[in-house]
Amino acid sequence: MKHFLRMLIQVCLYFYCKFLWRCLKFVMRKLTGRCELQRICYNTKPGASRTMKIETSLRDSKSKLLQTSVSVHPDAIEKTIEDIMELKKINPDINPQLGISLQACLLQIVGYRNLIADVEKLRREPYDSENPQHEEMLLQLWKFLKPNTPLESRISKQWCEIGFQGDDPKTDFRGMGLLGLYNLQYFAERDAAGAQQVLSDSLHPKCRDITKEEISKFSKAEWEKKRMDKAIGYSFAIVGINITDLAYNLLVSGALKTHFYNIAPEAPTLSHFQQTFCYLMHEFHKFWIEEDPMDIMEFNRVREKFRKRIIKQLQNPDMALCPHFAASEGLINM
């Protein structure tokens, strides 16, 4: 009974707030002579702040035209804006900037939805060793990461050298499908020096000096382990697939809207997503070294801590994950 009453109160509050909000919008329009879309475009700076407010306003509107505008085909955006201006009785000759601002926002909103679809399609496509294109991408990954070391055969223990679990990498792509391979290959090709350095560090982690304060916290067994062992490395390719999963979930949850709406002047593309993956790989690598885990069994703890840090950064509407490496050249357009 208590649960039912709580639900009833929540429903009543929802409709009350919704009614109150509509009344407030009506009053604001009468006072300012502008609709909510105009007020957002004129009072909010371009970027994630404006686009996300426009998206919320359109999605929560009682007008079917406005609700569906966030999912129209990119080619229909211009016509949709004309229809919105007509519905809101806004003269485009008097308010030319409004149409331009709305178009930029809708391109980002629709583009983000389409990007999710493109990424999902790659994630659902399994790696096929009978597909020449898939095989070629895999072999290119080796060439980009190990340019001076020929691969002796397609099925080989050498794959472990770049962080796969066995002699045939296809089994490691099951979780993320082709998306994992696409991201790894993009990173290795577009930022070859950076990717090779991360790979090298993952195989040969550097020793870290241990302070006296840290020594006092260790048990004798832990101290002996720290004293004898180098910093813990990780499997480059497996971590890349894991970070692909992180990037995918950030995208689908909407957390990456802040980043993409701030860096993509129009529709975010697959290249923007892959470039973001490269950034996450670099940042996770630095974070792993900073955390200095005792062993690889701490990977999930470190990854979760890293995920929370990225999400916290993305909660800032002005946030843009600003890459500083080769993969970002020509993609970022503030």
Side-chain angles (χ1 to χ4, degrees):
M1 187 63 180
K2 289 183 179 179
H3 179 70
F4 173 75
L5 287 174
R6 192 182 299 114
M7 289 284 291
L8 184 62
I9 292 171
Q10 289 177 345
V11 170
C12 291
L13 281 173
Y14 170 77
F15 283 107
Y16 174 75
C17 293
K18 198 167 186 179
F19 173 77
L20 194 64
W21 176 245
R22 293 195 187 283
C23 291
L24 181 61
K25 287 193 344 182
F26 176 79
V27 171
M28 289 296 293
R29 173 143 196 174
K30 291 299 181 182
L31 290 175
T32 64
R34 293 175 175 175
C35 69
E36 186 178 37
L37 295 177
Q38 287 175 295
R39 294 196 300 273
I40 293 172
C41 286
Y42 293 148
N43 299 331
T44 311
K45 64 181 181 180
S49 294
R50 177 191 288 178
T51 302
M52 292 175 79
K53 286 180 181 180
I54 290 291
E55 186 174 11
T56 300
S57 177
L58 294 172
R59 189 181 59 244
D60 294 345
S61 173
K62 61 182 180 181
S63 166
K64 194 70 175 176
L65 170 64
L66 269 60
Q67 290 175 9
T68 57
S69 65
V70 298
S71 56
V72 299
H73 191 277
D75 295 339
I77 287 178
E78 193 171 338
K79 176 65 168 60
T80 300
I81 291 172
E82 292 176 2
D83 293 340
I84 291 174
M85 301 278 274
E86 184 178 348
L87 176 69
K88 294 292 185 178
K89 297 181 174 59
I90 300 172
N91 189 332
D93 295 327
I94 299 176
N95 301 272
Q97 187 58 42
L98 178 63
I100 296 171
S101 298
L102 279 177
Q103 184 174 22
C105 290
L106 275 182
L107 282 169
Q108 289 183 319
I109 294 166
V110 172
Y112 192 93
R113 292 171 67 96
N114 291 339
L115 176 58
I116 290 177
D118 292 341
V119 168
E120 184 64 32
K121 183 179 178 181
L122 284 174
R123 189 186 74 86
R124 288 178 176 273
E125 185 175 355
Y127 183 90
D128 182 4
S129 57
E130 301 298 320
N131 187 316
Q133 184 183 359
H134 296 185
E135 287 287 286
E136 179 60 26
M137 287 185 66
L138 182 61
L139 294 175
Q140 284 182 348
L141 175 63
W142 175 270
K143 291 176 183 176
F144 290 135
L145 290 174
K146 307 278 283 186
N148 300 319
T149 307
L151 184 66
E152 295 174 1
S153 64
R154 167 62 181 80
I155 307 297
S156 170
K157 288 293 184 184
Q158 282 182 287
W159 290 111
C160 296
E161 295 177 22
I162 61 173
F164 286 105
Q165 292 179 323
D167 56 9
D168 191 352
K170 73 176 185 180
T171 59
D172 292 327
F173 292 119
R174 288 173 183 167
M176 284 286 107
L178 273 190
L179 185 62
L181 177 57
Y182 265 69
N183 279 351
L184 284 169
Q185 199 247 12
Y186 184 94
F187 184 32
E189 179 182 10
R190 299 300 182 93
D191 186 21
Q196 289 170 26
Q197 185 61 57
V198 171
L199 171 62
S200 177
D201 289 348
S202 72
L203 293 170
H204 309 289
K206 298 173 182 177
C207 292
R208 182 177 69 82
D209 293 333
I210 301 174
T211 65
K212 291 183 179 180
E213 291 181 2
E214 289 177 309
I215 292 174
S216 64
K217 296 177 183 178
F218 293 148
S219 67
K220 185 176 180 181
E222 289 174 331
W223 160 241
E224 287 299 320
K225 181 177 176 59
K226 278 287 182 184
R227 187 174 65 86
M228 298 300 293
D229 293 349
K230 292 182 177 180
I232 298 299
Y234 56 82
S235 300
F236 175 88
I238 296 300
V239 168
I241 294 170
N242 207 286
I243 296 300
T244 293
D245 177 72
L246 171 62
Y248 166 79
N249 283 293
L250 290 173
L251 177 73
V252 173
S253 69
L256 278 177
K257 285 182 179 180
T258 325
H259 169 62
F260 286 138
Y261 289 170
N262 280 327
I263 68 161
E266 295 184 350
T269 64
L270 184 60
S271 292
H272 287 107
F273 177 77
Q274 292 175 308
Q275 168 254 327
T276 304
F277 164 78
C278 296
Y279 169 83
L280 291 173
M281 280 293 288
H282 275 280
E283 290 301 301
F284 180 80
H285 178 64
K286 290 190 293 184
F287 189 75
W288 176 266
I289 293 173
E290 290 169 6
E291 285 293 300
D292 191 25
M294 292 289 293
D295 54 49
I296 197 63
M297 298 302 292
E298 289 196 70
F299 176 80
N300 287 337
R301 177 191 66 80
V302 176
R303 181 192 183 278
E304 180 60 17
K305 191 174 179 180
F306 176 71
R307 184 189 70 84
K308 288 180 178 178
R309 188 174 80 165
I310 294 296
I311 288 177
K312 186 176 181 180
Q313 291 175 349
L314 291 169
Q315 288 172 348
N316 178 359
D318 296 324
M319 183 62 188
L321 303 174
C322 297
H324 49 274
F325 45 87
S328 67
E329 291 178 3
L331 289 177
I332 298 297
N333 187 342
M334 295 298 287

